[in-house]
Structures are given as structure tokens and as C-alpha cells.
């Protein structure tokens, strides 16, 4: 409802509540929803949780059914690549 009716304060509150309640069972579905609704704080928390609990998370069947965009974000996060920086083109000599 918060997203549908564009209530930013409620969106942030919901996002914060979900960040506090992450667990192995829900992190993959929450990452998918965070990506869908552009909930940056929740997405970051999910990725951090997944990285910290990688062995448990990747063994879950939900991990295998992540959308490709979420899998890419996870791989980039684990590799230490900032998603905002990856889309920018580098000039010659920048390395």
C-alpha cells in the first residue's frame, strides 16, 4: 500500500522493519521485492546478509529461483563491485 499510494515515510518505515528481520528463509524473496520496488536500503541489507551467510543462502532452493538481475547484483556485491559505478564508462587512462 505504501508504494501504491506513494507514502515515502511509510515506505522507509516498512523498509527498516524488513531490514531488521532478515533471515535465510526470506532474504531471497525480499531481495527480489526490494529490486522490484527500488527499495535501496532493503536491497543493500539483503545483499550484505547474503554475503555474510553465503553458504546457507546459496544452498536454499529460493536462491536458484532469483531473477537474473538479482543474481547479477548478488555476484557484483560479493565481488565488491559498486552497481552505480559499473554502469559508467571509463575514459582512456582511467584505471
Amino acid at each position: 500500500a505504501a508504494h501504491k499510494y506513494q507514502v515515502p515515510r511509510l515506505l522507509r518505515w516498512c523498509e527498516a522493519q524488513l531490514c531488521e528481520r532478515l533471515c535465510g528463509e526470506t532474504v531471497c524473496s525480499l531481495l527480489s521485492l526490494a529490486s522490484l520496488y527500488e527499495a535501496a536500503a532493503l536491497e543493500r541489507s539483503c545483499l550484505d546478509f547474503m554475503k555474510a551467510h553465503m553458504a546457507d543462502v546459496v544452498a536454499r532452493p529460493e536462491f536458484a529461483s532469483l531473477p537474473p538481475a538479482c543474481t547479477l547484483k548478488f555476484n557484483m556485491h560479493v565481488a565488491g563491485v559498486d552497481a552505480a559505478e559499473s554502469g559508467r564508462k571509463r575514459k582512456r587512462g582511467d584505471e
Side-chain angles (χ1 to χ4, degrees), residues 72-73 76-77 80-90:
L72 177 62
K73 288 178 184 180
M76 290 175 61
H77 184 74
V81 178
D82 184 13
E85 298 243 341
S86 67
R88 293 191 335 209
K89 291 186 179 179
R90 291 189 292 178

Side-chain angles (χ1 to χ4, degrees), residues 20-51:
E20 291 176 10
R21 291 167 174 77
L22 287 176
C23 68
E25 294 177 8
T26 61
V27 71
C28 291
S29 60
L30 287 175
L31 177 60
S32 296
L33 291 172
S35 182
L36 178 67
Y37 291 107
E38 299 174 350
L42 180 58
E43 186 174 287
R44 182 71 163 178
S45 291
C46 288
L47 291 170
D48 288 342
F49 182 93
M50 291 171 77
K51 185 176 181 179

